[in-house]
C-alpha cells in the first residue's frame, strides 16, 4: 500500500458558507436553492429536522426543542456566515429571536435567519407597505403569520389560502394553482407586492412570470430566504433570476440577525 502526501485547502465556500435546517417533510427548498444559490465559492449545507406532517400551531411549536440538535448535524469544521431555519410557519409560531438562539446552541454562525425574517427584510428593501398574502395553511397558522406581518408595519391588503393542514400535500400543490391564487389576490386590492408563503410551496419557480403579468414584485419563502442569506453573507444577488427582489440590496441600517 502506498501512502500519498496531500495538501489541505479552504472549505468549498471560500466566499460564503451557508447552512439550512430543513423540515423532514420539505420536498421543495433544496431544489429551489440549487437554482437560486448557484454561485462559485458559495457552499450550502443542509440538515434535516424531525417534524410532524400536520401544520398546526402545536406541531410547529414542538420543533423548537429539536432545533439545536438539528443545527448540530451541519458540518462543524467551519464557522458559518449564515444559518437559516427553513420553515416560515414555525418561525412565526416560535419567534425569530427564539429560533436564532436555538440554532446558535447547535452551530457556530455569524448570522441566523428564517423565512419570516427574510420576507420582512425583503419588504423593507422593496419599500412594501400594502401586501397581498397567499397562505397554504389552516386558519390558525395563517392568522398568526398575518399578525406577524402586520406587527412589522405591513398592511395585508388582500389574503387567500389553500387551507391545507398536511405539509406533504402542500409540497404537491401545482404551479398552475399557485399562479391562479396569486392572480386572484392581485385582483382583489392594490398591492405593493404579493407574498406566497411556505418553503414547501412551489412558488419560487413562478415568480418571474407572475411579475411580468402583474407588474408588482412577487415574493416566495425560498426566494426571500436565499436572497436574505446571500445579502447577509455579502454575496451580490443582482444577476440571479429570481424576480426583482434579487436586484435589491439589504438596506445598510437593516438588522443583521433574525428577530430584530
Amino acid at each position: 500500500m502506498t501512502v500519498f502526501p496531500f495538501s489541505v485547502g479552504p472549505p468549498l465556500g471560500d466566499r460564503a458558507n451557508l447552512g439550512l435546517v430543513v423540515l423532514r417533510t420539505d420536498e421543495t427548498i433544496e431544489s429551489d436553492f440549487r437554482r437560486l444559490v448557484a454561485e462559485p465559492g458559495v457552499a450550502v449545507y443542509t440538515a434535516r429536522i424531525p417534524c410532524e406532517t400536520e401544520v398546526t400551531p402545536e406541531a410547529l411549536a414542538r420543533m423548537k426543542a429539536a432545533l439545536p440538535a438539528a443545527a448540530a448535524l451541519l458540518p462543524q469544521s467551519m464557522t458559518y456566515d449564515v444559518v437559516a431555519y427553513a420553515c416560515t410557519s414555525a418561525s412565526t409560531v416560535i419567534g425569530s429571536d427564539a429560533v436564532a438562539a436555538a440554532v446558535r446552541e447547535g452551530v457556530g454562525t455569524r448570522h441566523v435567519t428564517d423565512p419570516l425574517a427574510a420576507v420582512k427584510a425583503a419588504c423593507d428593501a422593496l419599500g412594501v407597505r400594502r401586501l397581498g398574502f397567499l397562505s397554504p395553511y389552516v386558519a390558525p397558522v395563517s392568522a398568526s403569520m398575518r399578525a406577524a406581518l402586520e406587527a412589522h408595519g405591513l398592511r395585508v391588503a388582500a389574503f387567500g389560502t389553500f387551507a391545507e393542514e398536511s405539509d406533504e400535500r402542500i409540497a404537491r400543490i401545482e404551479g398552475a394553482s399557485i399562479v391562479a391564487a396569486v392572480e386572484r389576490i392581485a385582483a382583489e386590492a392594490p398591492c405593493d407586492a404579493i407574498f406566497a408563503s411556505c418553503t414547501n410551496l412551489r412558488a419560487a419557480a413562478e415568480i418571474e412570470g407572475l411579475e411580468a403579468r402583474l407588474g408588482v414584485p412577487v415574493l416566495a419563502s425560498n426566494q426571500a430566504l436565499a436572497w436574505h442569506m446571500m445579502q447577509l453573507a455579502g454575496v451580490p444577488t443582482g444577476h440571479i433570476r429570481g424576480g426583482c427582489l434579487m436586484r435589491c440590496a439589504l438596506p445598510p441600517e437593516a438588522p443583521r440577525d433574525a428577530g430584530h
Side-chain angles (χ1 to χ4, degrees):
M1 181 180 70
T2 303
V3 178
F4 297 104
F6 61 89
S7 58
V8 176
L12 286 173
D14 55 11
R15 292 174 67 197
N17 288 289
L18 309 179
L20 281 176
V21 179
V22 177
L23 270 59
R24 175 188 62 81
T25 53
D26 198 307
E27 302 177 18
T28 308
I29 189 169
E30 288 159 316
S31 176
D32 283 345
F33 264 59
R34 281 192 288 272
R35 179 172 53 85
L36 293 167
V37 191
E39 294 296 295
V42 178
V44 180
Y45 300 91
T46 303
R48 291 273 174 168
I49 185 170
C51 67
E52 298 165 50
T53 301
E54 294 74 29
V55 184
T56 65
E58 298 76 18
L60 296 168
R62 282 191 282 270
M63 267 190 282
K64 179 182 177 182
L67 256 174
L73 292 175
L74 291 164
Q76 297 282 326
S77 59
M78 69 201 79
T79 296
Y80 289 84
D81 294 280
V82 190
V83 173
Y85 173 44
C87 184
T88 324
S89 51
S91 298
T92 303
V93 172
I94 297 169
S96 291
D97 282 337
V99 164
V103 167
R104 290 184 188 279
E105 285 184 40
V107 69
T109 179
R110 296 183 180 90
H111 302 286
V112 180
T113 188
D114 60 70
L116 180 64
V119 167
K120 291 177 181 177
C123 287
D124 292 344
L126 289 163
V128 174
R129 288 295 171 262
R130 299 171 302 174
L131 185 67
F133 176 32
L134 171 62
S135 163
Y137 314 117
V138 294
V141 178
S142 298
S144 294
M145 191 170 297
R146 181 170 182 166
L149 294 168
E150 290 174 339
H152 189 66
L154 297 162
R155 182 166 70 86
V156 177
F159 169 73
T161 180
F162 294 120
E164 177 54 57
E165 186 178 67
S166 167
D167 200 33
E168 292 174 344
R169 283 175 58 83
I170 289 171
R172 305 297 176 87
I173 295 173
E174 293 185 333
S177 299
I178 297 166
V179 167
V182 170
E183 290 180 340
R184 178 78 175 269
I185 287 170
E188 283 186 16
C191 297
D192 301 322
I194 298 171
F195 167 44
S197 180
C198 190
T199 61
N200 220 355
L201 192 68
R202 301 178 189 179
E206 309 298 337
I207 287 173
E208 289 187 305
L210 282 166
E211 287 188 344
R213 290 193 295 279
L214 300 176
V216 298
V218 176
L219 305 175
S221 289
N222 293 342
Q223 163 235 30
L225 187 62
W227 168 84
H228 198 218
M229 293 179 77
M230 286 189 285
Q231 289 290 321
L232 289 171
V235 178
T237 59
H239 61 289
I240 297 171
R241 293 187 60 183
C244 63
L245 172 62
M246 292 298 178
R247 298 189 291 275
C248 293
L250 195 64
E253 70 280 5
R256 297 287 150 169
D257 210 344
H260 300 283

